[in-house]
Amino acid sequence: MRQHEVVRLRTQERMQFRQIAEHLGCDVKNVYVAWKRGVAALAEQAAEAHGQYLGEQLANLDIAINSLMPKVIKGDVRAVEGLVRLFDHQAKLLGLYAPVKTSVTVTDEMTARIKALADEIAQLDDA
């Protein structure tokens, strides 16, 4: 209960930790610990709710995909278009379109090799 009150006072009332401690009649360190625990609990609840929502959406997509499959197998073009849209939505929910971060290091040796290849190509163009 105290965690909830600390989070409420900090986020809604915009009170400082010292002010919250005075308001609740406790130590600033305890308020900070309650804040950290309260925020962590809220984050956990949000992650759980997100997971439940995602699971429900994926289950609904499975139902829709399975219902379209007989028409797709028969060659219904509109059903195929619908299926593609469903697969697209499914991929977005699963994060399959998220960009992949890479780290590339270019060495002096690589730069020299690229310059040498560029010179070779230039000689081929001149010939």
Side-chain angles (χ1 to χ4, degrees), residues 97-111:
Y97 294 151
V100 177
K101 294 182 181 181
T102 58
S103 178
V104 178
T105 304
V106 178
T107 63
D108 290 338
E109 181 183 336
M110 292 172 154
T111 304

Side-chain angles (χ1 to χ4, degrees), residues 46-104:
E48 184 178 319
H50 178 266
Q52 289 174 351
Y53 173 78
L54 184 61
E56 291 169 4
Q57 291 300 307
L58 290 172
N60 290 335
L61 282 170
D62 281 343
I63 291 167
I65 289 167
N66 290 333
S67 69
L68 279 179
M69 275 307 188
K71 292 180 181 180
V72 169
I73 291 169
K74 289 180 182 176
D76 184 335
V77 175
R78 289 188 63 171
V80 171
E81 291 170 352
L83 185 66
V84 169
R85 284 194 301 272
L86 289 172
F87 282 149
D88 182 57
H89 187 63
Q90 185 181 48
K92 288 176 184 174
L93 283 174
L94 293 172
L96 298 179
Y97 294 151
V100 177
K101 294 182 181 181
T102 58
S103 178
V104 178

